Amino acid sequence: MSPTLYEIFTEEISHAFDGGIYAELIQNRSFEEGVLPSVMKLIKKPDSGLKMELVSLSDGVPTNKWDMPWPWNMNCGWDTNRVLVGWSLQGGGEMNLTEANPMNVASLRSLKLKVLGQARLVNSGYWGINAQTGPPSALKFYLRSGSYRGKLTVSLESKDGKVLADHDFGAVKPGTAWKAFTATLNASGTDPKARFVLTFRGEGVLQVDWVSLFPPTCKNRPNGLRSDLAKWLENYKPSFVRYPVGCYVKGLSWQSAPDWRKMVCPPEERPDMWGYWKYRSTDGFGYHEFLEFCENIGANATNALAFNGAEPHVELRRDITCQRRFSGAALLLNNRVVMATFRTVSVGGEKTLRQLVSHDEYLFTMRKERKVSLRDRQSQMT
């Protein structure tokens, strides 16, 4: 059997990335969970609930066929309670989401917090935050202090309320600019159900955004992966890793599908994506982190390209779809795809779909004899 036949298939499903191999401990870190995908609208279901539907469909695409063949209501339901998933407020204050004064174009919403004396902003993580003794965790978050004047501390607390780690930022003065706050938290005990707390003591209104807490990662990579899970996958010794694939890669429509160009920038500048599996992905485990992971375990990095469009003009899309589904932009003709690894060095020009499929040797020049470094791969993506 060829040694190149053994692979790892990666998909963001059931929190395999966020809350899984991606080491981020804070859930809904940028408060974007409740943002409706731009190409979607909300309509009422017969049971009075809400579901998402494409704003518009291409000619010839039935309204009930744009999605997967199985019952599409299952994955397009809209839960209004997910807007602040992971977050809660204790003490004197009020919180709500705001689109005023966005931190950047990728994070259009932030949390507006009105502090009345003392307010504790709590994040429960993904089924709890796994606090561990040993090397410290790296904390980073952003504040626009607004009219707030008072003290700020952060802490890791056990399920029963014991403080495992804390840091005092001292006094926070009013201001209109977004400011990054960083610290390291070294837990004095372990608890898989710990929580993260921002405590404000003072008065005023401020905004919070992009709260991130990372334990030590695989190879100490910034914005990296969990060491234990990465090592577990490495032990399989795959010859190549595919990313991103499965239903995740197509999003709810072509317009909302993953875009590698938005996954190689700093994580604060990644716009997130509402995935197919009923939650929003941070895309923190993006193309850059994927390539680093492949280098770490000595595997080839493999991407997939799909063709989406109608003859005679074909639009070269970013990734591979599944289940031969309709899309909001056009039909995926015959579900025919061309696979390419990140060793790809050229892509052909405009051709018809028939020409592209029958002459894929003109599409991709594979450098099978030369090992391409991460730097080379990154330069090819820009």
Side-chain angles (χ1 to χ4, degrees):
M1 179 180 291
S2 170
T4 62
L5 293 180
Y6 195 49
E7 64 149 333
I8 291 176
F9 172 108
T10 63
E11 179 179 3
E12 172 62 298
I13 179 174
S14 301
H15 288 281
F17 293 175
D18 290 349
I21 193 170
Y22 183 49
E24 175 65 80
L25 296 173
I26 302 296
Q27 186 178 15
N28 193 14
R29 65 184 179 187
S30 61
F31 304 99
E32 302 293 318
E33 183 71 29
V35 177
L36 187 71
S38 61
V39 296
M40 295 291 170
K41 62 183 178 182
L42 290 179
I43 62 174
K44 287 186 177 181
K45 298 192 296 183
D47 62 2
S48 298
L50 296 173
K51 68 179 180 181
M52 292 179 285
E53 189 173 273
L54 285 171
V55 172
S56 62
L57 294 167
S58 301
D59 293 340
V61 180
T63 57
N64 64 337
K65 290 292 185 180
W66 68 270
D67 198 58
M68 301 284 262
W70 58 70
W72 67 286
N73 286 353
M74 176 181 71
N75 287 342
C76 289
W78 184 261
D79 183 1
T80 56
N81 294 323
R82 288 196 60 82
V83 172
L84 284 171
V85 63
W87 294 97
S88 61
L89 183 65
Q90 302 172 353
E94 302 172 2
M95 70 173 182
N96 55 72
L97 294 178
T98 179
E99 295 182 359
N101 314 304
M103 188 180 80
N104 57 41
V105 295
S107 186
L108 297 178
R109 288 190 181 187
S110 63
L111 186 73
K112 182 179 179 181
L113 183 62
K114 183 177 182 180
V115 181
L116 302 171
Q118 176 173 304
R120 287 164 42 92
L121 183 60
V122 182
N123 189 274
S124 58
Y126 297 91
W127 311 284
I129 290 177
N130 188 21
Q132 297 287 326
T133 58
S137 296
L139 171 68
K140 186 176 185 179
F141 61 94
Y142 290 82
L143 289 185
R144 184 180 184 274
S145 53
S147 64
Y148 176 73
R149 189 182 297 272
K151 299 293 184 68
L152 168 62
T153 60
V154 297
S155 58
L156 269 179
E157 296 181 356
S158 65
K159 184 179 180 180
D160 60 8
K162 179 182 178 181
V163 176
L164 302 176
D166 61 1
H167 182 85
D168 186 355
F169 285 101
V172 175
K173 297 180 180 179
T176 58
W178 284 98
K179 179 182 177 181
F181 289 74
T182 60
T184 56
L185 298 179
N186 200 334
S188 60
T190 62
D191 188 347
K193 297 292 185 180
R195 55 182 176 259
F196 172 75
V197 183
L198 284 156
T199 301
F200 300 89
R201 296 179 178 88
E203 302 283 340
V205 178
L206 68 151
Q207 291 171 248
V208 185
D209 206 353
W210 209 82
V211 184
S212 175
L213 183 65
F214 267 84
T217 61
C218 176
K219 307 292 185 182
N220 294 315
R221 301 274 198 182
N223 195 52
L225 309 182
R226 278 178 50 176
S227 297
D228 55 347
L229 292 182
K231 183 62 178 178
W232 187 68
L233 293 175
E234 181 181 5
N235 290 340
Y236 276 98
K237 295 180 171 57
S239 60
F240 65 99
V241 181
R242 280 195 290 161
Y243 171 99
V245 283
C247 297
Y248 163 75
V249 78
K250 64 185 179 54
L252 290 174
S253 69
W254 281 110
Q255 298 95 322
S256 63
D259 187 338
W260 65 266
R261 291 164 294 189
K262 299 176 182 178
M263 296 184 186
V264 293
C265 52
E268 297 98 316
E269 299 174 12
R270 301 181 191 182
D272 300 355
M273 165 196 145
W274 185 270
Y276 188 79
W277 298 112
K278 300 181 70 173
Y279 60 91
R280 197 172 186 90
S281 170
T282 66
D283 286 337
F285 179 38
Y287 275 81
H288 180 78
E289 292 74 25
F290 162 61
L291 294 176
E292 287 183 329
F293 172 61
C294 290
E295 284 202 335
N296 290 344
I297 67 175
N300 287 320
T302 303
N303 185 35
L305 298 174
F307 296 109
N308 179 42
E311 292 187 30
H313 299 293
V314 174
E315 183 179 2
L316 183 63
R317 300 305 301 186
R318 297 177 288 275
D319 305 289
I320 185 173
T321 62
C322 63
Q323 300 293 330
R324 193 179 296 187
R325 55 159 279 190
F326 289 89
S327 82
L331 305 183
L332 176 62
L333 298 182
N334 299 323
N335 205 36
R336 289 184 281 187
V337 299
V338 174
M339 301 292 293
T341 71
F342 277 100
R343 293 179 180 178
T344 299
V345 295
S346 65
V347 178
E350 295 182 2
K351 297 179 182 291
T352 67
L353 180 62
R354 185 177 295 108
Q355 288 172 321
L356 288 169
V357 172
S358 60
H359 299 290
D360 57 354
E361 65 270 21
Y362 296 124
L363 284 176
F364 304 112
T365 301
M366 309 299 292
R367 290 185 175 177
K368 296 182 179 180
E369 303 300 326
R370 186 172 76 88
K371 185 175 181 180
V372 181
S373 68
L374 175 60
R375 179 175 297 178
D376 289 334
R377 293 175 192 156
Q378 287 179 284
S379 67
Q380 291 166 13
M381 293 193 297
T382 57

